[in-house]
Amino acid sequence: MTPEEKITNFVFKSLHNVTQNGLSIILLGTINSEPALVIIKHLPFPLSPTQLTSLTKTFTSPSLIGQNDIYTWLTAVHLGPVKLDIIHPATAKHISKYASQQYRSVLETPSIYTTHTLPRITRLRSNGSVTWVHNILSGAAEQDSILFRNEDFILAPDLHFDGRSREGFHLLAIATREDIASLRDLKVGNLEYLKNLERDIRTAARDLAREKYGWRDVEDEDLLVYVHYFPTYFHFHVHVTFVGGEVGAAQAVGKAWDLRSVVVLLEGRKEAGGRGLEEVELRVTVGVESEFWKEVFGPLREGREPEGV
Amino acid sequence: MTPEEKITNFVFKSLHNVTQNGLSIILLGTINSEPALVIIKHLPFPLSPTQLTSLTKTFTSPSLIGQNDIYTWLTAVHLGPVKLDIIHPATAKHISKYASQQYRSVLETPSIYTTHTLPRITRLRSNGSVTWVHNILSGAAEQDSILFRNEDFILAPDLHFDGRSREGFHLLAIATREDIASLRDLKVGNLEYLKNLERDIRTAARDLAREKYGWRDVEDEDLLVYVHYFPTYFHFHVHVTFVGGEVGAAQAVGKAWDLRSVVVLLEGRKEAGGRGLEEVELRVTVGVESEFWKEVFGPLREGREPEGV
């Protein structure tokens, strides 16, 4: 079977997931009686003037939705390209990874953090989940992806950045220090460190945008600099994207914290005579498939005490 | 000319804007020598099992991008529906409204807020920009759109919510009190008010999701409850969407503030012996076409003092 024949041999079983408001769908089915996932996405419209000149001539079967004064709404049929990602044979793990996930917005109090979340973070860290970060920092792995390095952090492209699309610009600043697992570990004593970190990350990312990627007009203010809570891995790292670029769940409140807001929260703790961000309530978006929902917030919601780590 | 003929008579002049990462484009051109805008969007894929069973059979010209183990990537041609919005004849105002806008991430210090932003907010409020809100609250307008009312707020559907799509669920809670223009006006004395507001908005929105819209399984934790800074209008209001629903610029850090984060910031001010949120630094996303960029942050960036209101 050629790769192209995979799609013609696909037998549909069920709609597995819908993303991008229906502009991308994931189908579960079989190819040769083996499980297969097909991810179907619309591709961007062409943007060259030549193609755009003829684009509106390619629409057929215009059908009126409505008209009001100078506004007209139509649907039409368009012959356009789609992208197909096929995973075959797909394992149960693939099938679960691409399934839709429910999210919950939970309140993590200081007491829930200390009693239930922190021991799980500690367990995850001791189980080797951040070894790959240490390997990058120590020079043992992925050295060619490091774009910038100073005493406090390295800058590398995020996995999802293709290096070309300005909208999708996404760098990661990984802290060289290993004692901060998440924003919860930030203490009032880290205030100067954090302010310098924001300034230096902005400068380095701006210079890379200008010099490596060729966007000469980029200024410090064009950058959004934020951290995740919960992060995907528990070693302090900071995301850098363009303001007004692609916005997804990774930039949304409940998941993302502007680094300056973190500073402001911490300044509040300092003025209040407190220690750090383990003392504040945080509203956090948690996937119901994550261990934090399954082991902590799910049981708490049902009035049960979470079990030991 | 029939409405359908508007699209066949469209003459392309320039690419005016690209949104949704290229899945929607806006063309500027002419129809009958008059200015016209055409907004072209991909439509969601069909979701019924019958249509999905045949969907993968409709792709033609499969072309291999790559293959690695169980992963195969292809493009193919697909005959699909698009939506066309036509504005014709378009005025200069329409053309400017649909143009792309640059955004900047600026730091609004307490001093910038008090000296430059606040007088502009006051001017906007005194120029009748929130009269329409007062009309709703007083019962003089749009009473049929009010879904819930208590002493502290009314709940109404957001303009962009079609009442059907769970992903696009979006309600607005408009405060009945008129003394809070934005989150900057929140004082430590408002802490109990805000906590009750969050609780009551969550309960009322959950009940509406269940009873009016028919999503019986919705819980309080399924809701994201946030405010904007800068907001579109300066009368205190709170957004409610689903966690894990559609994420756009309106939910992104720099624009959106989870209501509980606002409470936490305010608690920090209280413990520090402060007055309220006019005292903190905020990182804010500002469109360069907005008056706040043009009159305040733009001049400050160039080292000029903003001129009087």
Side-chain angles (χ1 to χ4, degrees), chain A residues 21 105 167 221 281 301, chain B residues 21 105 167 221 260 301:
Chain A
N21 305 318
S105 177
E167 270 244 303
E221 297 92 337
E281 278 188 346
R301 179 175 216 298
Chain B
N21 306 319
S105 178
E167 269 244 304
E221 297 92 337
R260 178 58 58 152
R301 176 172 219 300

Side-chain angles (χ1 to χ4, degrees), chain A residues 25-38:
Chain A
I25 54 176
I26 304 182
L27 308 183
L28 181 62
T30 53
I31 296 173
N32 273 358
S33 307
E34 292 162 325
L37 290 164
V38 177

Side-chain angles (χ1 to χ4, degrees), chain A residues 40-60:
Chain A
I40 306 173
K41 287 177 204 143
H42 281 298
L43 282 179
F45 286 104
L47 298 182
S48 81
T50 323
Q51 290 167 301
L52 288 174
T53 302
S54 55
L55 180 67
T56 57
K57 310 297 177 207
T58 66
F59 300 131
T60 54

Side-chain angles (χ1 to χ4, degrees), chain A residues 30-262:
Chain A
T30 53
I31 296 173
N32 273 358
S33 307
E34 292 162 325
L37 290 164
V38 177
I39 302 164
I40 306 173
K41 287 177 204 143
H42 281 298
L43 282 179
F45 286 104
L47 298 182
S48 81
T50 323
Q51 290 167 301
L52 288 174
T53 302
S54 55
L55 180 67
T56 57
K57 310 297 177 207
T58 66
F59 300 131
T60 54
S61 318
S63 167
L64 190 67
I65 303 172
Q67 192 171 30
N68 182 350
D69 190 38
I70 62 167
Y71 300 95
T72 307
W73 303 278
L74 302 164
T75 59
V77 172
H78 168 59
L79 192 70
V82 287
K83 179 161 183 275
L84 307 171
D85 300 343
I86 304 172
I87 303 173
H88 166 253
T91 64
K93 205 171 156 190
H94 289 107
I95 293 170
S96 136
K97 179 180 167 191
Y98 286 95
S100 62
Q101 184 175 186
Q102 290 263 323
Y103 290 89
R104 292 286 163 94
S105 177
V106 300
L107 200 60
E108 189 185 59
T109 62
S111 146
I112 293 175
Y113 168 71
T114 309
T115 316
H116 304 298
T117 307
L118 180 57
R120 283 170 175 79
I121 292 176
T122 307
R123 181 189 64 193
L124 285 167
R125 275 159 71 92
S126 68
N127 284 356
S129 71
V130 289
T131 306
W132 65 272
V133 178
H134 300 160
N135 288 343
I136 295 176
L137 294 173
S138 70
E142 291 186 61
Q143 294 309 291
D144 47 348
S145 67
I146 296 178
L147 304 174
F148 175 89
R149 178 192 284 275
N150 73 10
E151 205 178 38
D152 291 330
F153 62 94
I154 60 156
L155 263 180
D158 180 82
L159 192 67
H160 298 293
F161 176 41
D162 63 9
R164 286 175 300 182
S165 137
R166 188 169 171 140
E167 270 244 303
F169 181 76
H170 195 161
L171 303 183
L172 280 182
I174 302 177
T176 47
R177 59 195 287 176
E178 297 178 9
D179 58 327
I180 307 173
S182 77
L183 66 77
R184 284 285 195 192
D185 275 335
L186 294 167
K187 314 285 181 220
V188 298
N190 298 130
L191 266 165
E192 283 315 300
Y193 166 74
L194 276 184
K195 285 183 183 174
N196 293 339
L197 198 66
E198 192 197 359
R199 184 197 60 213
D200 295 344
I201 289 173
R202 280 186 183 273
T203 306
R206 178 202 65 192
D207 291 348
L208 280 167
R210 290 178 178 176
E211 287 150 31
K212 179 176 168 60
Y213 298 105
W215 300 310
R216 309 293 315 174
D217 59 337
V218 168
E219 305 284 353
D220 304 33
E221 297 92 337
D222 293 323
L223 303 171
L224 203 58
V225 179
Y226 56 95
V227 295
H228 284 154
Y229 189 75
F230 296 130
T232 310
Y233 54 94
F234 288 95
H235 175 110
F236 194 56
H237 60 284
V238 180
H239 297 258
V240 189
T241 60
F242 278 143
V243 175
E246 214 169 297
V247 176
Q251 282 83 41
V253 285
K255 172 79 179 174
W257 292 82
D258 178 279
L259 193 54
R260 178 57 59 153
S261 308
V262 174

Side-chain angles (χ1 to χ4, degrees), chain A residues 3-4 6-12 15 18 20-25 27 38 40-47 49 52-53 55-57 59 62-65 67 69-90 94 98 102-107 166-167 198 202 217 219-224 226 243-244 246-249 251-254 256-258 260-261 264-265 267-269 271-272 280-283 285 301, chain B residues 3-4 6-12 15 18 20-25 27 38 40-47 49 52-53 55-57 59 62-65 67 69-90 94 98 102-107 166-167 198 202 217 219-224 226 243-244 246-249 251-254 256-258 260-261 264-265 268-269 271-272 280-283 285 301:
Chain A
E4 289 86 351
K6 287 208 172 195
I7 188 64
T8 40
N9 284 312
F10 177 76
V11 179
F12 170 76
L15 178 63
V18 177
Q20 292 186 283
N21 305 318
L23 295 178
S24 174
I25 54 176
L27 308 183
V38 177
I40 306 173
K41 287 177 204 143
H42 281 298
L43 282 179
F45 286 104
L47 298 182
L52 288 174
T53 302
L55 180 67
T56 57
K57 310 297 177 207
F59 300 131
S63 167
L64 190 67
I65 303 172
Q67 192 171 30
D69 190 38
I70 62 167
Y71 300 95
T72 307
W73 303 278
L74 302 164
T75 59
V77 172
H78 168 59
L79 192 70
V82 287
K83 179 161 183 275
L84 307 171
D85 300 343
I86 304 172
I87 303 173
H88 166 253
H94 289 107
Y98 286 95
Q102 290 263 323
Y103 290 89
R104 292 286 163 94
S105 177
V106 300
L107 200 60
R166 188 169 171 140
E167 270 244 303
E198 192 197 359
R202 280 186 183 273
D217 59 337
E219 305 284 353
D220 304 33
E221 297 92 337
D222 293 323
L223 303 171
L224 203 58
Y226 56 95
V243 175
E246 214 169 297
V247 176
Q251 282 83 41
V253 285
W257 292 82
D258 178 279
R260 178 57 59 153
S261 308
V264 171
L265 274 178
E267 279 173 339
R269 297 319 306 153
E271 291 176 48
V280 299
E281 278 188 346
L282 296 176
R283 177 71 70 180
T285 298
R301 179 175 216 298
Chain B
E4 290 85 350
K6 288 208 171 195
I7 188 65
T8 40
N9 284 310
F10 177 76
V11 178
F12 170 77
L15 177 63
V18 178
Q20 293 185 283
N21 306 319
L23 295 179
S24 174
I25 54 177
L27 308 183
V38 177
I40 306 173
K41 287 176 207 147
H42 281 298
L43 282 179
F45 286 103
L47 298 182
L52 288 175
T53 302
L55 181 66
T56 55
K57 310 296 175 206
F59 300 130
S63 166
L64 189 67
I65 303 172
Q67 192 169 30
D69 189 37
I70 62 167
Y71 301 96
T72 308
W73 303 277
L74 303 163
T75 59
V77 172
H78 168 59
L79 192 72
V82 288
K83 180 162 182 275
L84 307 170
D85 299 342
I86 304 172
I87 303 173
H88 166 252
H94 288 109
Y98 286 95
Q102 289 262 323
Y103 290 89
R104 291 286 163 94
S105 178
V106 299
L107 199 61
R166 189 170 172 139
E167 269 244 304
E198 191 198 0
R202 280 186 182 270
D217 59 336
E219 305 285 351
D220 304 33
E221 297 92 337
D222 292 323
L223 303 171
L224 204 59
Y226 55 94
V243 175
E246 217 169 293
V247 176
Q251 280 84 41
V253 286
W257 291 82
D258 179 278
R260 178 58 58 152
S261 308
V264 170
L265 274 177
R269 298 318 307 153
E271 291 176 48
V280 299
E281 278 189 345
L282 295 176
R283 176 71 69 179
T285 298
R301 176 172 219 300

